[in-house]
Amino acid sequence: MAGMIAAMAIVAGGLGPVSFSGRFEGWELQALASESPLFNPPLAIGEVTATAKDITVFISGPISGSGAIVHRQGNVYTVLTTKTVVSGRGVYEVVTGDGRRYSVSPEGVILLPLVDLAVLQFTSSETYPVAQLAEPSDSQIYLTVANQPQTTLFAAGNLVSTAGTNLSDGYDLLYNSALQSAGSGGPVVDRWGRLIGIQGRFNTQSPTVNSAIAVSNFLRLAPTVGLNLGWRGWILSNIIQPGSKPRAIALSSDGTLLATDGGYNRIQLWDWQSSQLNATLTGHNSEVNSLAISPNKQILVSGDQQGQAIIWNLRTGQIANTITRSRPNLSNPITSVAITANGQTLITGSNQGIELWEINTGRLVLTLPESGEANAIAISPDSRTLVSGHLDNTVKVWNLLNGNLVQTLPAGERGFIVESVAISPDGNTIAAGTYREIRLWNLERGIRQRTIVAHCDLCYVYDLAFTRDGTGIISTSEDGTKIWNIADGTLLRTLDGSAKTFALSGDRTLILGGDTLRIWQVP
């Protein structure tokens, strides 16, 4: 109720629907009490305004309205709107924020089933911003409507309900706002400028019962009409309460087997689709820091805080081997583990260095020279190359065929550390996550290709993974999990919730390990 009163007070003070040319001095967004002001702060009102304007288009036709640019593939842009806007017979045009007009062919109008949503597709060689898509995570919202070309209205509002209320046709977001009956199809964005819904139903008698359709409906139904959104199309398909915040998770390559540390000395094996806990493994004497599952799903490896690694037989749930290290102690934890593609060699990283072990016997095969203070490791798909991140903020590249150090790459200023590393599916690009930044190098030439300022101040990039097509990279930190376009470094999607670690299987399943296990999937 307090939020509703606050929104009405804004309208009463003369800050109702305004054009984008207006000034917004005095508008100050405060983080919720549950949110740390240090992590993922909301955008300033001017930034939200600019972001909303960039993604909003005017749709000209027999029944005009608004829409939001939600996807781009090559030169083909996809605009999300309501069926109401495209229900008339005739020719439609999309008018972008720069005033350009793009005709929409009849086959470029696609109606989504079950909900009052439609998409229009137009072709352009121009570059237009694409909306970040998100689930509602806050009551404060902002609404935009393009009621004629290059004239966009903007207003504040508050969500009243997001609890799955469905007033038919997919209208599951209820909100109040001064923006009334200004035209269907306008974007609803949150305080971070992310698209969370599409406006469609207005009640002129009561501003508290306007309704919008959550963008999750679009993500869920897009594949049914032939729209391939790839990894941008992930939807939140399940949430598991593991009992304790996982320090480590692992997902089999086919996405069917999930392992997490279960707190202290336990490892949990899950059927994540049903939230069923299948087994609990015990054998460590301290917290488990890292997990890896062999490609054939027969072996699980776990490394703990005291420097011990255990090799588990997943068919029996029994310990197959225990790695005996020369100096296991609390100051020398195993920070990361990995298994080669043939399933025969285990690689561990620790302050003591990087060591290669024979899985069948637990025998130490090799200690890589100059590999001390290893904080993270990643193996190339062909198992020929190893990349490691170190506490001195360097990245090292190793030839696993002979154990030689190929090159050492600085990942930024000394005093910081490399928290995460990754290798692209084609083996040509390596990435390192450090303080705020993702750094990308061409592996063959050792030349830095790009630096992405990926996360907020005081945030480290905890985990990294390339998408399977190699065009994107996923990073996670205190301010959420984010997906980046490698070609130009632009942010493409934010998944809510911080996670210390995650696991990726193909382009279909992503599991984030935070206070809960959040499972995202491509429908």
Side-chain angles (χ1 to χ4, degrees), residues 340 379-386 398-402 406:
T340 56
I379 305 175
S380 63
D382 61 8
S383 294
R384 292 173 174 266
T385 302
L386 175 75
W398 308 86
N399 183 331
L400 281 180
L401 299 181
N402 55 27
V406 178

Side-chain angles (χ1 to χ4, degrees), residues 57-305:
V57 299
F58 178 70
I59 300 172
S60 174
I63 302 175
S64 298
S66 305
I69 300 176
V70 293
H71 190 57
R72 179 185 183 181
Q73 186 169 11
N75 288 337
V76 177
Y77 287 89
T78 298
V79 173
L80 184 62
T81 185
T82 64
K83 291 177 181 175
T84 304
V85 175
V86 295
S87 61
R89 296 180 179 272
V91 178
Y92 286 91
E93 287 185 323
V94 171
V95 186
T96 50
D98 58 5
R100 297 177 186 266
R101 291 177 173 267
Y102 298 97
S103 61
V104 178
S105 63
E107 58 271 21
V109 178
I110 304 172
L111 307 182
L112 273 67
L114 306 177
V115 297
D116 184 21
L117 288 176
V119 296
L120 294 84
Q121 293 185 317
F122 69 93
T123 301
S124 173
S125 59
E126 298 293 321
T127 299
Y128 295 110
V130 175
Q132 293 184 50
L133 310 178
E135 304 281 336
S137 60
D138 183 63
S139 63
Q140 178 70 66
I141 59 171
Y142 297 96
L143 305 101
T144 59
V145 168
N147 61 355
Q148 56 181 299
Q150 293 183 282
T151 303
T152 305
L153 302 179
F154 179 90
N158 279 81
L159 288 179
V160 178
S161 173
T162 60
T165 304
N166 194 320
L167 304 180
S168 78
D169 297 327
Y171 283 93
D172 47 10
L173 301 180
L174 301 182
Y175 67 89
N176 61 50
S177 173
L179 199 59
Q180 292 290 322
S181 303
S184 186
V188 181
V189 301
D190 63 13
R191 297 192 297 165
W192 293 265
R194 304 172 301 189
L195 181 70
I196 62 170
I198 295 293
Q199 306 165 53
R201 287 185 177 169
F202 307 92
N203 188 321
T204 57
Q205 303 302 316
S206 173
T208 63
V209 291
N210 297 319
S211 52
I213 303 174
V215 75
S216 57
N217 290 286
F218 164 65
L219 295 173
R220 176 172 52 87
L221 295 170
T224 67
V225 294
L227 290 175
N228 180 11
L229 303 179
W231 37 266
R232 291 196 78 236
W234 277 327
I235 61 171
L236 184 62
S237 65
N238 199 5
I239 297 176
I240 298 175
Q241 304 287 345
S244 62
K245 188 172 184 176
R247 299 162 62 98
I249 63 175
L251 187 64
S252 61
S253 58
D254 63 1
T256 61
L257 178 62
L258 170 66
T260 70
D261 79 280
Y264 189 56
N265 63 347
R266 297 177 301 166
I267 298 169
Q268 296 174 326
L269 303 179
W270 298 87
D271 176 353
W272 58 262
Q273 292 179 318
S274 64
S275 303
Q276 178 76 32
L277 178 61
N278 288 339
T280 299
L281 309 179
T282 58
H284 285 278
N285 295 316
S286 63
E287 292 86 352
V288 174
N289 288 329
S290 51
L291 294 166
I293 298 173
S294 64
N296 64 5
K297 297 192 298 183
Q298 301 299 306
I299 295 296
L300 170 71
V301 175
S302 52
D304 70 18
Q305 189 68 18

Side-chain angles (χ1 to χ4, degrees), residues 307-309 321-328 355 357 362-364:
Q308 182 185 56
N321 278 302
T322 298
I323 298 297
T324 302
R325 307 175 69 236
S326 58
R327 297 192 303 276
E355 296 167 312
W357 309 84
R363 181 178 65 89
L364 177 62

